[in-house]
Amino acid sequence: MIPAAFDYQAPTTLDDAVRILADAGEDAKVIAGGQSLLPVLRMRLAAPTVLIDLSRCAELRGVREDGGSLVIGAMTTHYDVQGDHLVREHAALLAMATDTVADPQVRHRGTFGGSLAHADPAGDLLAPALALDCEFVVAGMDGRRTVAANEFFVDYFTTAMAWNEILCEVRVPKYTGWLAHYEKFNRVAQAWSIVGVAAALRVDGSRIAEARVGLTNMASVPVRARGVEDALVGEEATPESIRAAAEHAAEGTSPTADGDGDAEYRTQLAKVLTGRAVTAAMTA
Amino acid sequence: MRITMTVDGTKYTDDVEPRMLLVHYLRERLGKTGTVVGCDTSNCGACTVHLDGHSVKSCSVLAVQADGCEVTTIEGLARDGRLHPVQQAFHDNHALQCGFCTPGMIMQAVDLLADNPDPDEQAVRQGLEGNLCRCTGYQNIVRAVRDAAQKMSPGAGPEAEQVADETAEATKLSRAEVQS
Ligand SMILES: Cc1cc2nc3c(=O)[nH]c(=O)nc-3n(C[C@H](O)[C@H](O)[C@H](O)COP(=O)(O)OP(=O)(O)OC[C@H]3O[C@@H](n4cnc5c(N)ncnc54)[C@H](O)[C@@H]3O)c2cc1C
Ligand code: FES
Ligand code: FES
């Protein structure tokens, strides 16, 4: 299968990319790793007139520290996120979720920013980004603006970015010393999450002092499991307290029904996986 | 659009349409039909090649995106008529039946061994997660990759070491090029 014809531009700076996108108009598209976009183009589910390749913009790649935050460039590949010692140390949840994305070949090309911009509710990086209160730095013709994670994801495959904006970096507050685990449930190799649970915990003495839990594929956008978080804080992590907290996992969610399972099944999965995620984080 | 890339050690310059996939460029322009198309949906991994030293699915990369890059296909692994140790191990362990998945399996196995020279069974299975085989049931493929790892490890014998050195050299080279 061959995509419909398009013009191709490969700017070397973000400023150029933003300008080319604005000039090319609404039918243009940026391409990052192409691991979601190229399959779509090959099946002719989309036919952009111009593709603007961000992969030559060196400034969009890499991880750096900025005070109390990490800054992850949108074009940093999954493979580079997995191997980054700053991410492993200060945002282990993101690294663990990235480990579960697709397969090695896809992780060599696919990017952190591309996954978030694509906003597939089954994507594994959305729930961790939401749970960790990441901030999305977006560039347009009028300069940059920052969007909070709870405002960034709007609907299925839809973000708060306008057609002429480019995601340039994601700011992640540091969660140094937090325990974390990403529990993904699927049935076959390299498959997307049927449901996934992202958990990060700060433990003080024998008690859970802070908890952040995000859910993958339990609605059209990633969902924060506030009920679970509230139930965990102040508790000792025993099998009973974890099970009781996990009972709240599906509150406020609206899971879809598809070939992988109906809403009831996903609701049950969310509870079971939440228990597993918290338990695994505690024993990490 | 004019592109230049080095494929299996030879430099090529060509005019291509931006929509041309890398796998089509390799097969139809350069005649490198060793790289095959299995699914066309980015799932099967049969089309796996190395792009600047890392495995990618060449059906999911545009030829123009590989402009200026170094590509290694299954056809670039053998040296002086001698099979690469991973190729040899697939042969020795009967790790193929129809052979359609084999080019991709081998390219991904070589990438895996560059990152993890001594993978256990679980690591091999995970490392080959993006490659589907409809025939073998994977058992002999896993066996072959672990056999190759052993043959390529330092101290595995004079002949193996020689091949291992060449492989290490080739990997170092392509990894160094990524950084430059
Ligand atoms: C076989 C296979 C299995 C997969 N399994 C999983 C999985 O289990 N879990 C998972 O999370 N993902 C999975 N993926 C998707 C993978 O993670 C992709 O890398 C990701 O969805 C898209 O990233 P990309 O860099 O390739 O983006 P592209 O495909 O290049 O772009 C995707 C979309 O985002 C837009 N976009 C990209 N970057 C930007 C930017 N900086 N600013 C604005 N818009 C932008 C593009 O215009 C496009 O609409 C899988 C993919 C494949 C092929
Ligand atoms: S042909 Fe490329 S992944 Fe199947
Ligand atoms: S040997 Fe036939 S698909 Fe693997």
PDB file of all heavy atoms in Angstrom, chain B residues 74-91:
ATOM      1  N   ILE B  74      19.647  -7.398   5.026  1.00  0.00           N
ATOM      2  CA  ILE B  74      20.081  -8.793   5.180  1.00  0.00           C
ATOM      3  C   ILE B  74      21.185  -9.110   4.164  1.00  0.00           C
ATOM      4  O   ILE B  74      22.042  -9.954   4.421  1.00  0.00           O
ATOM      5  CB  ILE B  74      18.864  -9.738   5.020  1.00  0.00           C
ATOM      6  CG1 ILE B  74      19.226 -11.178   5.343  1.00  0.00           C
ATOM      7  CG2 ILE B  74      18.263  -9.661   3.621  1.00  0.00           C
ATOM      8  CD1 ILE B  74      19.487 -11.464   6.778  1.00  0.00           C
ATOM      9  N   GLU B  75      21.167  -8.403   3.030  1.00  0.00           N
ATOM     10  CA  GLU B  75      22.150  -8.699   1.989  1.00  0.00           C
ATOM     11  C   GLU B  75      23.537  -8.150   2.317  1.00  0.00           C
ATOM     12  O   GLU B  75      24.505  -8.477   1.635  1.00  0.00           O
ATOM     13  CB  GLU B  75      21.668  -8.135   0.638  1.00  0.00           C
ATOM     14  CG  GLU B  75      20.360  -8.779   0.197  1.00  0.00           C
ATOM     15  CD  GLU B  75      19.916  -8.326  -1.187  1.00  0.00           C
ATOM     16  OE1 GLU B  75      20.777  -8.021  -2.037  1.00  0.00           O
ATOM     17  OE2 GLU B  75      18.697  -8.274  -1.411  1.00  0.00           O
ATOM     18  N   GLY B  76      23.611  -7.328   3.364  1.00  0.00           N
ATOM     19  CA  GLY B  76      24.896  -6.740   3.710  1.00  0.00           C
ATOM     20  C   GLY B  76      25.556  -7.396   4.905  1.00  0.00           C
ATOM     21  O   GLY B  76      26.546  -6.884   5.438  1.00  0.00           O
ATOM     22  N   LEU B  77      25.042  -8.536   5.360  1.00  0.00           N
ATOM     23  CA  LEU B  77      25.588  -9.141   6.584  1.00  0.00           C
ATOM     24  C   LEU B  77      26.768 -10.078   6.321  1.00  0.00           C
ATOM     25  O   LEU B  77      27.716 -10.127   7.098  1.00  0.00           O
ATOM     26  CB  LEU B  77      24.501  -9.927   7.330  1.00  0.00           C
ATOM     27  CG  LEU B  77      23.451  -9.141   8.109  1.00  0.00           C
ATOM     28  CD1 LEU B  77      22.591 -10.113   8.919  1.00  0.00           C
ATOM     29  CD2 LEU B  77      24.075  -8.108   9.032  1.00  0.00           C
ATOM     30  N   ALA B  78      26.691 -10.849   5.248  1.00  0.00           N
ATOM     31  CA  ALA B  78      27.757 -11.820   4.991  1.00  0.00           C
ATOM     32  C   ALA B  78      29.059 -11.091   4.647  1.00  0.00           C
ATOM     33  O   ALA B  78      29.047  -9.977   4.144  1.00  0.00           O
ATOM     34  CB  ALA B  78      27.348 -12.745   3.848  1.00  0.00           C
ATOM     35  N   ARG B  79      30.176 -11.706   4.995  1.00  0.00           N
ATOM     36  CA  ARG B  79      31.493 -11.116   4.693  1.00  0.00           C
ATOM     37  C   ARG B  79      32.297 -12.116   3.869  1.00  0.00           C
ATOM     38  O   ARG B  79      32.474 -13.248   4.303  1.00  0.00           O
ATOM     39  CB  ARG B  79      32.275 -10.827   5.978  1.00  0.00           C
ATOM     40  CG  ARG B  79      31.739  -9.711   6.810  1.00  0.00           C
ATOM     41  CD  ARG B  79      32.306  -8.348   6.388  1.00  0.00           C
ATOM     42  NE  ARG B  79      31.700  -7.278   7.178  1.00  0.00           N
ATOM     43  CZ  ARG B  79      30.494  -6.749   6.949  1.00  0.00           C
ATOM     44  NH1 ARG B  79      29.774  -7.178   5.947  1.00  0.00           N
ATOM     45  NH2 ARG B  79      30.007  -5.798   7.721  1.00  0.00           N
ATOM     46  N   ASP B  80      32.782 -11.682   2.734  1.00  0.00           N
ATOM     47  CA  ASP B  80      33.640 -12.524   1.892  1.00  0.00           C
ATOM     48  C   ASP B  80      33.041 -13.909   1.688  1.00  0.00           C
ATOM     49  O   ASP B  80      33.720 -14.927   1.852  1.00  0.00           O
ATOM     50  CB  ASP B  80      35.039 -12.671   2.527  1.00  0.00           C
ATOM     51  CG  ASP B  80      35.648 -11.323   2.830  1.00  0.00           C
ATOM     52  OD1 ASP B  80      35.414 -10.389   2.034  1.00  0.00           O
ATOM     53  OD2 ASP B  80      36.340 -11.189   3.862  1.00  0.00           O
ATOM     54  N   GLY B  81      31.767 -13.944   1.377  1.00  0.00           N
ATOM     55  CA  GLY B  81      31.135 -15.234   1.108  1.00  0.00           C
ATOM     56  C   GLY B  81      30.857 -16.066   2.342  1.00  0.00           C
ATOM     57  O   GLY B  81      30.400 -17.204   2.236  1.00  0.00           O
ATOM     58  N   ARG B  82      31.164 -15.505   3.514  1.00  0.00           N
ATOM     59  CA  ARG B  82      30.906 -16.265   4.740  1.00  0.00           C
ATOM     60  C   ARG B  82      29.700 -15.665   5.464  1.00  0.00           C
ATOM     61  O   ARG B  82      29.635 -14.444   5.642  1.00  0.00           O
ATOM     62  CB  ARG B  82      32.136 -16.187   5.645  1.00  0.00           C
ATOM     63  CG  ARG B  82      32.259 -17.366   6.571  1.00  0.00           C
ATOM     64  CD  ARG B  82      33.635 -17.372   7.181  1.00  0.00           C
ATOM     65  NE  ARG B  82      34.087 -15.979   7.358  1.00  0.00           N
ATOM     66  CZ  ARG B  82      34.945 -15.594   8.287  1.00  0.00           C
ATOM     67  NH1 ARG B  82      35.447 -16.465   9.099  1.00  0.00           N
ATOM     68  NH2 ARG B  82      35.318 -14.328   8.390  1.00  0.00           N
ATOM     69  N   LEU B  83      28.779 -16.537   5.887  1.00  0.00           N
ATOM     70  CA  LEU B  83      27.578 -16.045   6.553  1.00  0.00           C
ATOM     71  C   LEU B  83      27.924 -15.348   7.866  1.00  0.00           C
ATOM     72  O   LEU B  83      28.898 -15.705   8.539  1.00  0.00           O
ATOM     73  CB  LEU B  83      26.616 -17.208   6.843  1.00  0.00           C
ATOM     74  CG  LEU B  83      25.975 -17.911   5.647  1.00  0.00           C
ATOM     75  CD1 LEU B  83      25.056 -19.034   6.136  1.00  0.00           C
ATOM     76  CD2 LEU B  83      25.209 -16.927   4.774  1.00  0.00           C
ATOM     77  N   HIS B  84      27.120 -14.373   8.223  1.00  0.00           N
ATOM     78  CA  HIS B  84      27.193 -13.757   9.554  1.00  0.00           C
ATOM     79  C   HIS B  84      26.848 -14.839  10.589  1.00  0.00           C
ATOM     80  O   HIS B  84      26.032 -15.727  10.309  1.00  0.00           O
ATOM     81  CB  HIS B  84      26.181 -12.612   9.601  1.00  0.00           C
ATOM     82  CG  HIS B  84      26.185 -11.822  10.870  1.00  0.00           C
ATOM     83  ND1 HIS B  84      25.595 -12.287  12.033  1.00  0.00           N
ATOM     84  CD2 HIS B  84      26.699 -10.611  11.172  1.00  0.00           C
ATOM     85  CE1 HIS B  84      25.756 -11.384  12.990  1.00  0.00           C
ATOM     86  NE2 HIS B  84      26.419 -10.357  12.491  1.00  0.00           N
ATOM     87  N   PRO B  85      27.444 -14.789  11.791  1.00  0.00           N
ATOM     88  CA  PRO B  85      27.161 -15.832  12.783  1.00  0.00           C
ATOM     89  C   PRO B  85      25.680 -16.021  13.079  1.00  0.00           C
ATOM     90  O   PRO B  85      25.254 -17.149  13.380  1.00  0.00           O
ATOM     91  CB  PRO B  85      27.915 -15.366  14.041  1.00  0.00           C
ATOM     92  CG  PRO B  85      28.713 -14.187  13.662  1.00  0.00           C
ATOM     93  CD  PRO B  85      28.501 -13.865  12.227  1.00  0.00           C
ATOM     94  N   VAL B  86      24.875 -14.966  13.001  1.00  0.00           N
ATOM     95  CA  VAL B  86      23.438 -15.138  13.247  1.00  0.00           C
ATOM     96  C   VAL B  86      22.799 -15.884  12.070  1.00  0.00           C
ATOM     97  O   VAL B  86      21.975 -16.783  12.270  1.00  0.00           O
ATOM     98  CB  VAL B  86      22.738 -13.785  13.492  1.00  0.00           C
ATOM     99  CG1 VAL B  86      21.232 -13.998  13.686  1.00  0.00           C
ATOM    100  CG2 VAL B  86      23.323 -13.086  14.716  1.00  0.00           C
ATOM    101  N   GLN B  87      23.216 -15.571  10.856  1.00  0.00           N
ATOM    102  CA  GLN B  87      22.725 -16.320   9.691  1.00  0.00           C
ATOM    103  C   GLN B  87      23.097 -17.792   9.814  1.00  0.00           C
ATOM    104  O   GLN B  87      22.280 -18.689   9.605  1.00  0.00           O
ATOM    105  CB  GLN B  87      23.326 -15.747   8.393  1.00  0.00           C
ATOM    106  CG  GLN B  87      22.801 -14.373   8.028  1.00  0.00           C
ATOM    107  CD  GLN B  87      23.527 -13.798   6.808  1.00  0.00           C
ATOM    108  OE1 GLN B  87      24.753 -13.732   6.789  1.00  0.00           O
ATOM    109  NE2 GLN B  87      22.756 -13.381   5.812  1.00  0.00           N
ATOM    110  N   GLN B  88      24.359 -18.032  10.172  1.00  0.00           N
ATOM    111  CA  GLN B  88      24.842 -19.405  10.299  1.00  0.00           C
ATOM    112  C   GLN B  88      24.051 -20.160  11.372  1.00  0.00           C
ATOM    113  O   GLN B  88      23.679 -21.317  11.187  1.00  0.00           O
ATOM    114  CB  GLN B  88      26.340 -19.395  10.656  1.00  0.00           C
ATOM    115  CG  GLN B  88      26.983 -20.768  10.622  1.00  0.00           C
ATOM    116  CD  GLN B  88      26.942 -21.380   9.219  1.00  0.00           C
ATOM    117  OE1 GLN B  88      27.311 -20.739   8.231  1.00  0.00           O
ATOM    118  NE2 GLN B  88      26.456 -22.626   9.108  1.00  0.00           N
ATOM    119  N   ALA B  89      23.775 -19.462  12.477  1.00  0.00           N
ATOM    120  CA  ALA B  89      23.052 -20.109  13.583  1.00  0.00           C
ATOM    121  C   ALA B  89      21.615 -20.447  13.171  1.00  0.00           C
ATOM    122  O   ALA B  89      21.081 -21.481  13.572  1.00  0.00           O
ATOM    123  CB  ALA B  89      23.060 -19.210  14.822  1.00  0.00           C
ATOM    124  N   PHE B  90      20.991 -19.606  12.364  1.00  0.00           N
ATOM    125  CA  PHE B  90      19.635 -19.924  11.865  1.00  0.00           C
ATOM    126  C   PHE B  90      19.700 -21.186  11.002  1.00  0.00           C
ATOM    127  O   PHE B  90      18.832 -22.052  11.071  1.00  0.00           O
ATOM    128  CB  PHE B  90      19.046 -18.745  11.070  1.00  0.00           C
ATOM    129  CG  PHE B  90      18.249 -17.785  11.917  1.00  0.00           C
ATOM    130  CD1 PHE B  90      18.848 -17.090  12.959  1.00  0.00           C
ATOM    131  CD2 PHE B  90      16.890 -17.582  11.694  1.00  0.00           C
ATOM    132  CE1 PHE B  90      18.127 -16.212  13.753  1.00  0.00           C
ATOM    133  CE2 PHE B  90      16.152 -16.706  12.481  1.00  0.00           C
ATOM    134  CZ  PHE B  90      16.768 -16.015  13.506  1.00  0.00           C
ATOM    135  N   HIS B  91      20.750 -21.284  10.192  1.00  0.00           N
ATOM    136  CA  HIS B  91      20.935 -22.463   9.352  1.00  0.00           C
ATOM    137  C   HIS B  91      21.153 -23.694  10.230  1.00  0.00           C
ATOM    138  O   HIS B  91      20.484 -24.709  10.089  1.00  0.00           O
ATOM    139  CB  HIS B  91      22.131 -22.219   8.424  1.00  0.00           C
ATOM    140  CG  HIS B  91      22.398 -23.328   7.469  1.00  0.00           C
ATOM    141  ND1 HIS B  91      23.376 -24.274   7.685  1.00  0.00           N
ATOM    142  CD2 HIS B  91      21.813 -23.654   6.302  1.00  0.00           C
ATOM    143  CE1 HIS B  91      23.373 -25.136   6.683  1.00  0.00           C
ATOM    144  NE2 HIS B  91      22.443 -24.779   5.825  1.00  0.00           N
TER     145      HIS B  91
END
